[in-house]
Amino acid sequence: MAGITLAALAIPEVMGYATIAGMPVITGLYTIVLPVLVFAALGSSRHLVVGADSATAAVMAAGLAGLAATGSEEYVALAGMLALMAAAFLLLARIVKLGFLADFLSRTVLIGFLTGVGIQVACGQVGGLLGIPEGKGISLLGRDDTGTIGKLVSTLQNLDQISWSTVAVSASVIVVILFSKYVTKKVPGALIAVIGAIVVSWHWDLASHGVSTLGKVPGGLPSLGLPSGGLSEIAALIPTAVSVFILILAQSAATSRAYASKYNDRFDENVDLVGLGAANVAAGLSGTFLVNGSPTKTQMVDGAGGRSQVAQLTTGVIVAIVLLFLTAPLQYMPNAVLAAVVFLIGIELVDLAGMRKILKVRPDEFIVALATAVAVVAVGVEQGIILAIVLSVLDHLRNSYRPVTSVMVPVKGDPHWRQVPFTAGARTLPGLVVYRFAGGLYYANANHLVEDVVGIVEDAEAAGDPLTWLCVDAVVIHDIDFSGAEALRQIHGSLAEHHVRLVIAEPLPQVRTLMDRYGLVDLLGEDAFYETLSDAVAAYRATTDTTPRST
């Protein structure tokens, strides 16, 4: 039953995605035949559904713009090449185990990116909804604006050519889809609207009333073969291929992770890379375009009770039957139907709830999400995803550049320790500071460590409370690069000048090995390393019991 539900809901959806991609409508159905079957056989996730996706379709359309006329044979060939190139990147990522790269497109920028894509997609359907020619852009301050806003403004300049019959069709489709969702999400409102519009168009000959229709649609299963193209086309497609590769990696992994967590299933990101790569090979060889792990289709199957890839296999078979026997009626479908379906898809991508949530809890991250959305709308989808990746990395660097630092203090009557926010005057015990540096020690934050230690020593001397030991609690330091090691060497020298001993507590095994390699173990001495924080404090107390403190 889940497979039937997915087919009913996904068929009009993927036809809409084909429109976003600039591809012939029938190729949308191709994306849920062979690619679905291939991923079901080779992927790791029991829940992930692959198929055409709005975000990758939008990125592809932006990347192919100007290389060939949309919908032409050359355009379809370029789309096939792009799918094969994305597949090559995915399979290469599997070989070198780059599944972790999915984590570098943060949830914050992904929400902003998809919101921008949604606005762009919805704005792009205004002409189709109203039955007016789509604008090419406007001239502003001597420059041509052919982006989302420019095209929308130029489209609205054609309002004098509005087709009220087309508006009636668009409005009817939107009402049917929204009403069906209001009643129950299990009702395939889009499919009902599509079938109803086809029947009305055929019976009342809407084409004679100024409503444009699809026209003859080829039937039969997709033919297999390599898309035509040369090295010059491959070179032109590389930036777009990299963009969609990152997007497929991030979106598919996030979706698989979410459902694996929901049902306590195991899945392997690197195995999924093989399935996604093979699915895109199948797409490229079967005359269609990029496929991605689809959150919407995965939710469709989950909502219908599907818990394995059997539902996806069933969908593939059903769509194959549609292609073989039921494509003839599609010629009567008004183009406004697809415009309405795609418009609603775009609206659903605009995640206002997610943006509000980010604004409420992390205003700084909201700025990142908003900047990504604005870039997609104002500049372009490809530029938006590049900005999203850059902002994700910068956000990571921002967090790791200023790690949380604290001083560990004992709790009366408790063998454990607690953290207090770092201040230069904080003490663990008289003459002892246990300083916790919560993050990897590398070139960008090494000077932060040096500044803190210098501040501790200077404050101690100014207060007439000289330090005897400084213990670095290294339990949270997961890595030390060369610059970090040099920083430790520098603070050892500085502390030695003030007769303060530097010791290290609870270093992770790999960090202890790195310190040995950097020569820090020889510099500090084997006896400067302690397995636990309690051991280090006990050793310090032993020195104060036997040696009077200097004043």
Side-chain angles (χ1 to χ4, degrees):
M1 186 62 189
I4 298 173
T5 301
L6 175 61
L9 294 170
I11 285 174
E13 184 184 67
V14 296
M15 293 168 68
Y17 293 155
T19 302
I20 296 173
M23 294 284 285
V25 170
I26 197 68
T27 61
L29 298 183
Y30 295 166
T31 65
I32 48 175
V33 183
L34 279 180
V36 165
L37 302 178
V38 169
F39 183 83
L42 299 178
S44 168
S45 173
R46 297 177 59 199
H47 305 276
L48 186 67
V49 180
V50 301
D53 173 71
S54 56
T56 46
V59 173
M60 187 193 94
L64 299 189
L67 298 180
T70 56
S72 65
E73 290 185 8
E74 292 82 2
Y75 191 93
V76 173
L78 288 172
M81 289 178 62
L82 183 61
L84 293 177
M85 291 172 67
F89 282 122
L90 289 164
L91 294 173
L92 179 63
R94 168 62 184 95
I95 292 171
V96 294
K97 296 184 178 179
L98 292 180
F100 71 91
L101 286 177
D103 299 328
F104 279 87
L105 199 57
S106 72
R107 181 62 182 164
T108 299
V109 297
L110 198 55
I111 288 174
F113 173 74
L114 293 177
T115 295
V117 168
I119 294 171
Q120 185 199 57
V121 166
C123 290
Q125 303 308 310
V126 170
L129 291 171
L130 303 178
I132 60 179
E134 183 180 343
K136 302 299 182 184
I138 59 174
S139 181
L140 185 65
L141 300 177
R143 297 182 61 185
D144 291 333
D145 180 3
T146 57
T148 301
I149 304 302
K151 287 183 178 179
L152 177 62
V153 171
S154 61
T155 297
L156 293 176
Q157 290 173 348
N158 298 320
L159 279 175
D160 58 324
Q161 303 177 50
I162 192 169
S163 167
W164 291 108
S165 299
T166 301
V167 172
V169 172
S170 302
S172 300
V173 171
I174 290 173
V175 168
V176 170
I177 294 174
L178 293 180
F179 180 74
S180 68
K181 287 184 177 180
Y182 175 77
V183 175
T184 173
K185 291 186 178 181
K186 293 185 178 181
V187 173
L191 186 63
I192 293 171
V194 167
I195 294 174
I198 289 173
V199 171
V200 171
S201 176
W202 168 74
H203 189 270
W204 280 282
D205 190 17
L206 292 185
S208 65
H209 293 81
V211 178
S212 66
T213 57
L214 287 181
K216 188 172 179 59
V217 175
L221 296 175
S223 57
L224 300 179
L226 283 169
S228 58
L231 291 177
S232 59
E233 286 86 357
I234 292 175
L237 292 175
I238 287 176
T240 307
V242 173
S243 296
V244 295
F245 157 67
I246 296 292
L247 189 56
I248 291 171
L249 193 63
Q251 188 167 298
S252 298
T255 305
S256 291
R257 243 188 237 127
Y259 285 90
S261 174
K262 181 177 180 179
Y263 294 105
N264 293 317
D265 290 337
R266 295 180 62 185
F267 91 101
D268 188 328
E269 290 173 355
N270 289 305
V271 174
D272 268 4
L273 287 175
V274 173
L276 289 164
N280 275 286
V281 169
L285 296 180
S286 59
T288 187
F289 56 100
L290 292 155
V291 294
N292 188 8
S294 171
T296 56
K297 297 182 190 64
T298 305
Q299 176 57 40
M300 290 174 191
V301 172
D302 185 65
R307 300 292 181 266
S308 71
Q309 290 290 338
V310 172
Q312 287 79 298
L313 294 172
T314 304
T315 298
V317 172
I318 292 172
V319 175
I321 293 172
V322 170
L323 287 169
L324 287 170
F325 306 109
L326 300 174
T327 56
L330 291 177
Q331 64 184 305
Y332 299 104
M333 182 191 295
N335 286 310
V337 174
L338 287 180
V341 170
V342 173
F343 177 79
L344 290 177
I345 289 170
I347 295 299
E348 288 179 355
L349 283 173
V350 178
D351 191 356
L352 292 180
M355 295 290 280
R356 280 196 298 266
K357 185 176 181 180
I358 296 170
L359 176 60
K360 182 179 179 180
V361 298
R362 288 298 296 263
D364 55 333
E365 291 190 36
F366 172 78
I367 294 173
V368 172
L370 183 63
T372 304
V374 170
V376 171
V377 174
V379 184
V381 177
E382 271 192 298
Q383 294 85 345
I385 195 169
I386 291 171
L387 178 65
I389 295 168
V390 170
L391 289 177
S392 289
V393 173
L394 289 177
D395 187 49
H396 166 72
L397 290 175
R398 179 179 64 85
N399 290 325
S400 63
Y401 169 68
R402 303 296 285 185
V404 175
T405 56
S406 55
V407 174
M408 307 301 294
V409 298
V411 179
K412 188 174 182 180
D414 191 327
H416 301 291
W417 301 81
R418 67 181 178 90
Q419 302 179 67
V420 297
F422 170 78
T423 59
R427 295 289 182 271
T428 303
L429 294 173
L432 170 67
V433 170
V434 176
Y435 172 84
R436 173 171 285 183
F437 189 87
L441 182 59
Y442 70 114
Y443 65 91
N445 62 23
N447 195 54
H448 180 45
L449 171 66
V450 175
E451 290 174 353
D452 279 358
V453 171
V454 170
I456 292 170
V457 174
E458 290 180 349
D459 182 85
E461 292 193 344
D465 180 25
L467 213 58
T468 305
W469 276 29
L470 186 135
C471 173
V472 175
D473 182 3
V475 69
V476 194
I477 300 177
H478 57 83
D479 186 31
I480 299 177
D481 73 357
F482 181 81
S483 299
E486 288 302 297
L488 287 172
R489 194 181 299 276
Q490 179 182 344
I491 65 173
H492 171 265
S494 177
L495 290 171
E497 290 177 3
H498 293 84
H499 309 290
V500 178
R501 188 183 185 202
L502 174 64
V503 299
I504 311 293
E506 295 191 52
L508 297 173
Q510 69 270 24
V511 172
R512 178 69 160 74
T513 301
L514 283 172
M515 288 183 163
D516 196 13
R517 187 184 306 165
Y518 292 136
L520 292 172
V521 175
D522 290 337
L523 179 68
L524 274 64
E526 288 280 355
D527 60 347
F529 291 82
Y530 296 91
E531 291 188 2
T532 69
L533 179 55
S534 296
D535 289 344
V537 174
Y540 170 74
R541 281 178 167 148
T543 64
T544 59
D545 288 342
T546 58
T547 305
R549 284 185 56 196
S550 59
T551 58

